[in-house]
Amino acid sequence: MSMNNSPNVFLDTNANRFQVNIINESRDNNEASQEDVGSDPPHYEETSFTDEAHNKLRISYRPGKRELYDNFLQRGEKTEASLHPYDTHNKMYYLQTFGHNTMDPVPKIDYYRNTGSVSGNKLNRPSLLEIHEQLAKNIAVSTSSVERVANGESTAGDETTASKEEENKTGLVKFGWVKGVLVRCMLNIWGVMLFIRLSWIVGQAGIGLGVIIILLATMVTSITGLSTSAIATNGFVRGGLGIIVIALSVVVTTLTGISMSAICTNGVVRGGGAYYLISRSLGPEFGGSIGLIFAFANAVAVAMYVVGFAETVVELLKESDTIMVDESNDIRIIGTITVVCLLGISVAGMEWEAKAQVILLVVLLIAIANFFIGTVIPTNNEKKARGFFNYQASIFAENFGPDFRGGEGFFSVFAIFFPAATGILAGANISGDLKDPQGAIPKGTMLAILITTVAYIGVAICAASCVVRDATGNINDTVVSGMSCNGSSACNLGYDFSRCRNQPCDYGLMNNFQVMSMVSGFGPLITAGIFSATLSSALASLVSAPKVFQALCKDNVYKGLHFFAKGYGKNNEPIRGYVLTFVIAMAFILIAELNTIAPIISNFFLASYALINFSCFHASYAKSPGWRPAFRYYNMWVSLFGALLCCGVMFVINWWAALITYAIELFLYIYVTYKKPEVNWGSSTQALYYINALDSALALTAVEDHVKNFRPQCIVLTGAPMIRPALLDITHTFTKNNGLCICCEVYTGPRKLCVKEMNSGMAKKQAWLTKNKRKAFYAAVAADSFRDGVKSLLQASGLGRMKPNTLVIGFKKDWRNAAASQVENYVGVIHDAFDFELGMIIVRISQGFDITQVLQVQEELEKLEQERLALEATIKENDFEEEKSGICGFFRKARKLNISKHETKKESTINTIQSMHMGEFNQKLLESSTQFKKKQGKGTIDIWWLFDDGGLTILIPYILTIRKKWKNCKLRIFTGGKANRIEEEKLVMASLLSKFRIKFADINIICDINMKPNKESWKFFEEMIEPYRLHESCKDITTAEKLKQETPWKITDAELEAFKEKSYRQVRLNELLQEHSRAANLIVLSLPVARKGVVSDYLYMAWLEILSKNLPPTLMVRGNHKNVLTFYS
C-alpha cells in the first residue's frame, strides 16, 4: 500500500496550533509527488484567531496552492475521495500529526467525560501502551482502526450503554438560566415575607436597621453564591434598625451567592443542588450530613410558605365574617388543602411546575408594581385612620429608628426575615434539570439577588415612609384643638392614635400584616401577589427538597435511605421523596404559627450556607490544580468570612437551636465517617490531606534522626500481599501506628508482560490492604532478576525521613529443591540489605507463607457457587413459567425435566470437584496463614540475644508485647555466658534491660553454646549439605579446579573446615532452642552473618535451616549495628 503526504497544509482555528496532513490511501498520488519534487520549502504564516468577520477558516498553505483552496471554499467541492479539507475523521483518511503516522487522537471533550455522563458519551482514547508499541514496532495501521481511535469510538458495550442513555434522554425537559434559575430564585426570595411580614419587620426595627437586616442576609448568601459559582465553573455542572435587618440579610445572601457561584463553575453540576456542591467539594462526610439537614429545611419551608398563604386567606375570611372554625384551625385546614394541590402539580412533572412558576411570577410583578403605584395615589380618610398618609418626611423620620416590642430584638427579627433570603438556592437545587448549570446558576442567582434586594429595600422604605407604626382604624380619632402632639407624626397629620400606647390596635406597621394590601392601588392584586409569592415559594421548596434528597439517596451515603433514590418518568421524578416531603410539611403546618416556623429553618439554612462558603474557602486553601472555577469574582477569605458570619448569626438568632443543629450535623458526620461510603469525588478534603502530608514530610526532613525516635520501618517481601498474609501480619503487628510498612513485589521475566501485569494490579493490591485494615503501602518493580528488583526497592523506597530501615523476608523453605540461581539471589538480597545498612529479619513458620494453593481452591469454589446460583435462578424462572396455563405447559414440563437432569448431573460434578479439592486442601496451611491475626494466649516470647546488633533484636519483641494480641506474653531473655559467672552475667543483663525500661520475666545464661552438638544432629547437618559439597580433596587437582569452575556455588572441603566451629554452633543452638524454647509462642534470635565472598550460599542456607528447624514461629533478627535503644532521657 503506497502512502503519500499531501502538500496541502491547513490550520483549524477551532483547534490548537498543529498541522494535520491528510493522506489519501485510495488514489494515485504520483502526480502530486512529481509536483513536490524541487518545490519550495513550506511557508509558515502567523494565523490570526481574532478575525472572525466572515467566520472562515484561516488556511496556512504552500505556495501555488491558493487557487485550489479558493475554489474549494467558493464552490464547496470535495476531492475525488469525497474529502472535505476539515474532515479529519473521514473513513478514507487518517491523521498525520506533526508529520508522523500515529494513533494519537486530537483533543476531544468526550475523552474526559465520566462513564455515566448524561450530556454525551464517554469515549476511550488509545492507551499509552498501544501508542508506544505502535511507534516502537512501526506497525502500519489500517484506515478503519486509525479512524476509530482518532474519533475515540468506544467499545460495543459502551455503544449499548450510550444508546440506552440516549433513549432515556428522549423527551427530557431542561431549563435555561432565566426559567430555571432567575425565575425560581426571584419567586422563592419574594416569598411570604415580602407582603405579610416586611412591614412588621420595618416597624419593629425601623428603616435603618431593617435595611441592614436585608443587606446582611443578602451579602452572606451572595458570597455563598459566588463561592458556589467558582466551584461549579470548575467543570460541567450538574441607623434605623429596620434597614440594618434588611442589610444583614443582604450581606448573608450575597456572601453565600458569591461562594455558590465559585463552586458551580468548577465542574459539571448534576442534580442535588446544595448537597451536590458541598459533597463534591468537601466530601461525603460533610455533604451527607448537610444534605439531610438541607432537604429537611426545604421541607419545613414548604410549611412556612403554605402557612403564610393560609394566613392571608383566613384574613379574607375574617373580613367577610366566614371563619370556618377558628383562626388557627382554619389555617390548618386551608394549609392542608393547599399542600395537597401543590403536591399534585409537582408530581405532574417539572414542565407543569415550570409553567406554573412563570404565571406566578407575572402575577407577583404586577402586585409589586401595584404597591408602588398605590403609595403615590392620594389616600382617603379610611386609609388615614389605618395609618396610611402617602409619603411624609415626618413618618420617615419617626420610623427610621427601632421600636422593638413583645420581647423582640434585632436578631429575633432577623431570624424571622432571613428565610426570605434563602431562595437563592432554588435554581441550584434543580441543577440536574438545567441545560448549563455552571453558567446558569451564577448568572441567574446573582441577578435574582440584585433584583430582589432592590425590591425588598424599596418596599421597606416606601412602606415605612407612608404608614405609621400604630393606628386605630377609627376615622373619628382626629386631633382635638389644643392637643399636644409630642412629636407624633400622625398627630401632626391630624390623627390621634395615642390610645394605642395603652391598648393594642389593629392597624399600622406593627399590628396589621396586610399593610401592603391597604397601601396598594388595587387591594385584590396584593392578595393575588401574596398568593403568588407564597405558592411559588412553597412549590419551589416542594420540588427542591425531594430533588436534593433523591441525589443524597442515589449516592447511597445512607444505605437505609436508598429506597427514596428511585425516580419515575422522563425527568426521573422523585415521587417517593415528594410523599415524604408532604408528610413533613403537613406536620409543621399543624403548628399554624408563621413566627414559630421561620426561626426553625433559619438555622438549617444558615448551616447549609456556612458549609457552602466553607467549601469555597477549603477548595481554594487546598490549592488543588483541579480547582479552576470559571467564576473569578470570589475570594477565599471573603468566603471564610461568610462561613463565620453564618455560624455567628446562627448562635445570635437562637443559641440552643444552633447547638442542636450542629449536634445533628456532627452526629451525621461521625456516622458517615464511620460507615466510609465507597465514593471518590476528588474533594478538597482529599487535596488537603495531600498538602498536609507533603508539608509534614518536608518538615520531617529538617528533623535530625535521634535514637529515642527510632521505629522499625520495614520493606516486606510479601509479593502480592494476599499471597503471604502471615508474613505481612507479623510485620504489621510491630509497625501498625508505629512505623512504615511497604509490601513489595518483584516481577521478573519479559519486560512488556511484567510491566503490564504490574500496572494492572497496583490499585487492586493496595485496595486489598485497605480493605483488610492493613496500614501498609504496596510497591512493585519489574527487574531482570529477583535480586536486582529488591536492590532497586532497598535504594529507592520511601520518602525523606520515611525511608525503610529494616528488610523483612520469609525463610526460603524450598531452597534445597530450588535452582542455584534462586538461592544465590536469596542470599544476595541478605548481603545487599547489609550493604545498604538495613536491619534484617527472616521469619520462619512451620507451614511456610505461600498460600497460593488455598487461594486457587477458594477462587474455584466461588466460581462453582456462582454457577450453582445461576442454575437455581434458571430453574425458578422455569417453575414460574410452568405455572402459567396454556397449551405449551406440557412442553415446558418436559423442558424442566431436562433441566432437572442437567442440574442433578451438574450438582454431582460440583460435589465431586468439591470433595476432590477439599481432599487436597491444606487445612494446616490455612490455619498457619492466620496465626498472627489471633490473640495470643498466655505464654512467652523467647529472645535469644546472642550478639549485640544495636538493640533491634530486643526492640522488636518489646513492641510486640505492647500490642493487644501479644500483651499476655512475657519476655524471656537467653544470652551466652561463662559457667563460673552465671549470676554476675544475669545481673549485668538485668541492669541493662532495666535501664532500657524493658520488662522481662526471666533471664537465662547459656553456658554450653560452644559445645559440640550430639552426633545425630551433626549427622543430619552433614546429610543435608551433602548434595551441595564439592569433595575436591578426594579428586586430583585438575578435576577439582574444573569442578570449581563448573559449580562455583558448591561447598568446598576447605570452606567447610574453615567454618566448622561456626557450623557446630548453629547445630548446637538448635538443640538448645529445642530444649528451652519448644513451648514458646514466638522465638526471636540473633541472625548469623555470613561474610560476603567467603561463606557460600548453600552453607549459609544450611546454617539458617538447621538453626530454625522444628521450632515455633521464629524471627531471626540482625540490626545494622547502630543503636536503636538508649537509656538517656
Side-chain angles (χ1 to χ4, degrees):
M1 180 187 298
S2 66
M3 298 185 188
N4 212 347
N5 290 355
S6 168
N8 305 326
V9 181
F10 60 90
L11 287 175
D12 185 346
T13 56
N14 295 321
N16 292 328
R17 290 189 185 180
F18 67 87
Q19 292 184 337
V20 180
N21 292 342
I22 302 178
I23 300 174
N24 189 342
E25 299 184 44
S26 59
R27 66 182 246 193
D28 185 7
N29 285 322
N30 291 336
E31 204 174 301
S33 300
Q34 289 172 1
E35 284 183 19
D36 286 344
V37 177
S39 63
D40 293 332
H43 172 67
Y44 301 96
E45 64 178 11
E46 186 73 12
T47 304
S48 172
F49 291 93
T50 57
D51 186 7
E52 302 290 344
H54 302 289
N55 197 25
K56 283 187 177 182
L57 196 64
R58 285 278 183 161
I59 309 263
S60 182
Y61 52 83
R62 300 190 183 193
K65 297 298 175 186
R66 181 192 296 271
E67 230 174 67
L68 169 66
Y69 282 98
D70 285 346
N71 291 337
F72 190 94
L73 290 172
Q74 289 166 13
R75 299 194 301 269
E77 292 175 356
K78 294 191 177 183
T79 62
E80 294 171 17
S82 299
L83 167 70
H84 190 285
Y86 316 127
D87 183 12
T88 57
H89 296 156
N90 188 278
K91 287 184 179 179
M92 300 302 295
Y93 294 81
Y94 62 89
L95 294 177
Q96 190 186 49
T97 311
F98 303 118
H100 296 283
N101 297 336
T102 180
M103 293 176 70
D104 270 342
V106 294
K108 200 170 186 178
I109 191 173
D110 296 320
Y111 296 131
Y112 298 90
R113 296 190 189 280
N114 286 339
T115 307
S117 175
V118 295
S119 56
N121 301 331
K122 174 176 173 57
L123 303 181
N124 297 323
R125 71 173 65 80
S127 68
L128 183 61
L129 185 63
E130 289 172 345
I131 294 173
H132 191 208
E133 290 300 319
Q134 291 291 349
L135 287 173
K137 295 180 180 178
N138 198 24
I139 295 175
V141 184
S142 65
T143 307
S144 59
S145 66
V146 175
E147 184 215 351
R148 177 184 63 79
V149 174
N151 284 322
E153 291 178 6
S154 53
T155 61
D158 294 331
E159 288 170 4
T160 306
T161 306
S163 64
K164 284 181 181 176
E165 285 177 358
E166 201 62 38
E167 287 172 16
N168 292 336
K169 285 192 282 183
T170 305
L172 197 64
V173 179
K174 293 285 185 180
F175 304 112
W177 73 274
V178 175
K179 200 172 179 180
V181 182
L182 181 65
V183 170
R184 289 174 185 280
C185 287
M186 287 172 63
L187 281 169
N188 223 19
I189 295 171
W190 280 335
V192 65
M193 295 300 168
L194 178 63
F195 296 104
I196 299 178
R197 288 292 184 276
L198 191 56
S199 59
W200 177 84
I201 287 168
V202 80
Q204 288 274 0
I207 295 173
L209 284 184
V211 171
I212 288 178
I213 283 176
I214 294 174
L215 292 176
L216 184 57
T218 304
M219 190 178 84
V220 172
T221 50
S222 295
I223 286 185
T224 307
L226 289 176
S227 298
T228 310
S229 295
I231 293 177
T233 53
N234 197 39
F236 182 70
V237 179
R238 323 253 210 214
L241 285 180
I243 296 289
I244 292 176
V245 169
I246 298 173
L248 184 62
S249 299
V250 172
V251 168
V252 174
T253 54
T254 304
L255 294 178
T256 308
I258 292 170
S259 297
M260 187 175 69
S261 298
I263 298 170
C264 287
T265 55
N266 194 49
V268 177
V269 178
R270 294 182 180 162
Y275 159 71
Y276 184 90
L277 299 174
I278 294 170
S279 63
R280 269 47 176 187
S281 180
L282 290 178
E285 296 84 5
F286 280 107
S289 57
I290 206 62
L292 273 182
I293 293 174
F294 187 72
F296 181 75
N298 273 281
V300 177
V302 175
M304 183 187 76
Y305 295 126
V306 168
V307 168
F309 169 77
E311 275 189 10
T312 308
V313 176
V314 169
E315 285 292 328
L316 294 175
L317 293 175
K318 193 162 58 171
E319 286 177 10
S320 59
D321 198 24
T322 54
I323 294 291
M324 291 178 282
V325 184
D326 56 58
E327 287 189 29
S328 295
N329 283 316
D330 282 10
I331 289 173
R332 295 184 181 105
I333 293 167
I334 294 166
T336 302
I337 296 169
T338 304
V339 80
V340 170
C341 295
L342 293 177
L343 180 65
I345 295 172
S346 302
V347 171
M350 289 294 294
E351 199 169 0
W352 285 96
E353 188 263 352
K355 289 175 181 175
Q357 293 280 32
V358 172
I359 296 170
L360 292 171
L361 179 63
V362 172
V363 174
L364 189 59
L365 291 172
I366 293 171
I368 293 172
N370 178 47
F371 167 77
F372 286 113
I373 292 169
T375 59
V376 296
I377 296 175
T379 185
N380 54 38
N381 289 335
E382 184 182 353
K383 287 187 177 180
K384 285 180 179 178
R386 295 183 177 185
F388 174 49
F389 296 94
N390 293 115
Y391 291 105
Q392 300 291 336
S394 60
I395 295 177
F396 179 88
E398 184 180 72
N399 289 340
F400 192 82
D403 184 17
F404 293 115
R405 301 177 191 174
E408 301 292 348
F410 174 80
F411 285 102
S412 65
V413 172
F414 176 78
I416 291 170
F417 173 77
F418 184 76
T422 58
I424 64 163
L425 293 179
N429 287 341
I430 62 159
S431 52
D433 297 298
L434 300 176
K435 290 177 184 174
D436 177 25
Q438 66 184 102
I441 292 174
K443 195 189 303 181
T445 302
M446 298 310 294
L447 187 57
I449 289 173
L450 177 63
I451 294 170
T452 54
T453 300
V454 171
Y456 268 121
I457 292 174
V459 170
I461 293 174
C462 289
S465 301
C466 300
V467 184
V468 296
R469 280 193 169 103
D470 296 294
T472 60
N474 188 342
I475 58 174
N476 296 320
D477 286 343
T478 54
V479 175
V480 180
S481 179
M483 179 180 175
S484 176
C485 291
N486 295 324
S488 169
S489 58
C491 180
N492 291 330
L493 294 169
Y495 280 82
D496 178 17
F497 299 141
S498 57
R499 66 186 175 95
C500 292
R501 297 172 188 168
N502 303 318
Q503 64 185 59
C505 293
D506 294 330
Y507 297 97
L509 293 175
M510 302 290 283
N511 309 305
N512 184 12
F513 290 153
Q514 305 298 328
V515 165
M516 285 190 72
S517 181
M518 177 190 70
V519 171
S520 66
F522 183 60
L525 272 180
I526 293 297
T527 304
I530 292 171
F531 290 171
S532 174
T534 52
L535 293 178
S536 63
S537 298
L539 193 57
S541 297
L542 187 57
V543 169
S544 297
K547 292 277 184 184
V548 172
F549 192 58
Q550 183 188 34
L552 173 67
C553 297
K554 274 185 177 178
D555 287 335
N556 212 17
V557 175
Y558 302 101
K559 296 188 184 298
L561 299 178
H562 194 65
F563 171 79
F564 294 97
K566 184 174 175 58
Y568 298 86
K570 59 188 178 183
N571 264 46
N572 199 31
E573 297 292 346
I575 304 297
R576 296 171 179 176
Y578 283 132
V579 174
L580 181 63
T581 304
F582 169 77
V583 172
I584 295 171
M586 279 299 304
F588 281 87
I589 285 171
L590 296 178
I591 296 174
E593 182 56 51
L594 190 63
N595 286 14
T596 305
I597 298 172
I600 294 173
I601 63 173
S602 290
N603 267 308
F604 285 164
F605 278 118
L606 279 166
S608 304
Y609 293 169
L611 275 183
I612 289 176
N613 282 304
F614 185 71
S615 296
C616 185
F617 164 76
H618 199 269
S620 303
Y621 182 74
K623 298 173 184 173
S624 170
W627 173 248
R628 303 183 301 274
F631 187 87
R632 298 295 179 189
Y633 307 105
Y634 76 95
N635 180 275
M636 61 184 285
W637 301 111
V638 173
S639 294
L640 180 61
F641 170 71
L644 295 174
L645 181 60
C646 288
C647 294
V649 169
M650 284 177 68
F651 280 96
V652 173
I653 287 175
N654 193 320
W655 65 269
W656 58 265
L659 287 177
I660 291 172
T661 302
Y662 279 114
I664 294 170
E665 189 176 329
L666 181 63
F667 170 76
L668 295 172
Y669 178 88
I670 293 170
Y671 174 82
V672 176
T673 305
Y674 175 75
K675 288 294 183 181
K676 289 186 174 64
E678 294 179 1
V679 293
N680 182 12
W681 295 324
S683 65
S684 58
T685 306
Q686 293 172 321
L688 198 61
Y689 283 159
Y690 176 83
I691 292 293
N692 291 338
L694 184 62
D695 289 343
S696 298
L698 289 170
L700 194 61
T701 58
V703 178
E704 292 293 328
D705 287 332
H706 193 281
V707 64
K708 286 196 294 186
N709 293 322
F710 177 87
R711 58 195 67 230
Q713 303 197 109
C714 301
I715 280 187
V716 196
L717 299 184
T718 57
M722 62 283 290
I723 298 296
R724 295 177 179 83
L727 182 60
L728 172 60
D729 289 339
I730 187 62
T731 309
H732 187 256
T733 305
F734 57 79
T735 60
K736 181 183 178 183
N737 299 328
N738 188 55
L740 182 69
C741 181
I742 307 176
C743 298
C744 295
E745 185 171 9
V746 178
Y747 288 87
T748 57
R751 177 57 63 92
K752 179 182 173 182
L753 294 175
C754 286
V755 170
K756 185 177 180 180
E757 186 182 352
M758 180 177 72
N759 291 339
S760 63
M762 292 283 280
K764 178 184 174 184
K765 288 161 186 173
Q766 183 64 55
W768 185 90
L769 289 170
T770 305
K771 182 181 177 182
N772 288 274
K773 298 180 181 179
R774 296 291 176 267
K775 294 185 178 182
F777 299 97
Y778 172 77
V781 293
D784 295 330
S785 70
F786 175 73
R787 184 179 182 182
D788 288 342
V790 175
K791 200 181 292 185
S792 300
L793 289 166
L794 294 177
Q795 295 177 85
S797 295
L799 185 68
R801 296 286 181 193
M802 293 186 293
K803 289 184 71 69
N805 53 32
T806 307
L807 175 64
V808 182
I809 60 174
F811 179 72
K812 190 171 181 60
K813 194 178 177 185
D814 63 343
W815 65 275
R816 283 184 279 182
N817 302 320
S821 58
Q822 291 182 1
V823 176
E824 182 184 0
N825 278 333
Y826 183 84
V827 177
V829 164
I830 299 172
H831 288 308
D832 292 336
F834 291 144
D835 286 344
F836 294 128
E837 295 189 339
L838 267 71
M840 187 76 211
I841 300 176
I842 301 177
V843 188
R844 182 173 185 178
I845 57 178
S846 58
Q847 298 298 318
F849 292 104
D850 195 333
I851 62 165
T852 305
Q853 178 190 359
V854 175
L855 295 176
Q856 287 173 348
V857 171
Q858 289 178 345
E859 186 179 351
E860 202 162 334
L861 291 175
E862 284 174 8
K863 286 180 181 177
L864 290 170
E865 179 65 15
Q866 288 173 1
E867 288 180 15
R868 187 184 65 79
L869 293 173
L871 193 61
E872 284 181 0
T874 305
I875 290 171
K876 283 180 182 177
E877 184 182 342
N878 282 277
D879 285 342
F880 176 75
E881 288 180 1
E882 188 190 18
E883 289 173 5
K884 298 177 182 177
S885 59
I887 197 167
C888 298
F890 173 77
F891 297 103
R892 288 197 182 100
K893 194 170 183 180
R895 187 171 63 177
K896 184 194 172 190
L897 186 61
N898 290 335
I899 291 173
S900 298
K901 289 179 179 177
H902 177 68
E903 180 196 19
T904 306
K905 184 178 178 183
K906 187 80 176 179
E907 282 186 349
S908 64
T909 306
I910 292 172
N911 291 333
T912 304
I913 294 172
Q914 283 181 344
S915 60
M916 178 182 69
H917 282 306
M918 290 306 292
E920 297 174 358
F921 194 83
N922 192 333
Q923 190 64 29
K924 287 186 177 179
L925 180 59
L926 184 61
E927 290 175 1
S928 176
S929 69
T930 60
Q931 63 179 310
F932 297 124
K933 289 181 181 177
K934 300 171 185 174
K935 187 172 183 179
Q936 305 294 318
K938 288 186 177 181
T940 63
I941 297 176
D942 287 0
I943 305 170
W944 290 69
W945 195 12
L946 306 175
F947 309 105
D948 195 327
D949 58 352
L952 187 65
T953 307
I954 201 80
L955 180 63
I956 295 294
Y958 166 74
I959 295 173
L960 287 177
T961 58
I962 62 176
R963 301 301 187 192
K964 190 175 181 181
K965 290 185 176 68
W966 293 85
K967 68 179 182 179
N968 292 327
C969 293
K970 306 296 182 183
L971 297 183
R972 292 199 305 172
I973 313 299
F974 294 83
T975 189
K978 296 178 181 179
N980 58 351
R981 297 193 62 219
I982 291 179
E983 292 304 320
E984 290 87 340
E985 298 281 359
K986 275 189 179 182
L987 289 172
V988 169
M989 179 58 69
S991 174
L992 179 61
L993 293 174
S994 298
K995 286 184 177 180
F996 287 147
R997 301 169 304 284
I998 293 175
K999 293 181 180 180
F1000 56 91
D1002 191 17
I1003 296 176
N1004 293 277
I1005 306 299
I1006 307 299
C1007 307
D1008 51 354
I1009 292 177
N1010 293 324
M1011 288 178 59
K1012 283 187 179 181
N1014 62 51
K1015 293 181 180 178
E1016 290 79 8
S1017 301
W1018 181 250
K1019 184 180 179 183
F1020 176 83
F1021 178 78
E1022 286 185 321
E1023 288 175 353
M1024 181 173 61
I1025 64 172
E1026 182 60 33
Y1028 316 108
R1029 290 186 61 181
L1030 192 63
H1031 290 294
E1032 78 279 10
S1033 57
C1034 302
K1035 300 176 179 65
D1036 57 83
I1037 296 175
T1038 307
T1039 307
E1041 289 298 325
K1042 185 179 179 182
L1043 285 173
K1044 281 183 183 180
Q1045 291 177 2
E1046 290 175 354
T1047 54
W1049 45 268
K1050 285 199 171 185
I1051 305 168
T1052 63
D1053 293 340
E1055 178 192 0
L1056 192 60
E1057 186 62 31
F1059 294 102
K1060 196 167 188 178
E1061 290 297 324
K1062 200 164 186 177
S1063 299
Y1064 279 159
R1065 186 190 303 152
Q1066 312 311 323
V1067 179
R1068 176 60 183 157
L1069 275 172
N1070 182 259
E1071 291 177 351
L1072 293 170
L1073 285 162
Q1074 298 283 353
E1075 179 184 342
H1076 295 282
S1077 299
R1078 183 82 179 180
N1081 293 51
L1082 182 72
I1083 297 173
V1084 181
L1085 65 93
S1086 296
L1087 173 72
V1089 177
R1091 290 193 177 275
K1092 195 166 53 171
V1094 179
V1095 178
S1096 65
D1097 299 334
Y1098 276 94
L1099 180 57
Y1100 186 58
M1101 289 304 298
W1103 287 353
L1104 299 182
E1105 172 73 38
I1106 196 65
L1107 181 62
S1108 57
K1109 188 172 179 60
N1110 297 330
L1111 292 174
T1114 303
L1115 271 62
M1116 292 176 276
V1117 181
R1118 173 68 68 155
N1120 62 357
H1121 287 242
K1122 293 180 180 177
N1123 289 348
V1124 301
L1125 295 172
T1126 182
F1127 47 80
Y1128 294 107
S1129 59

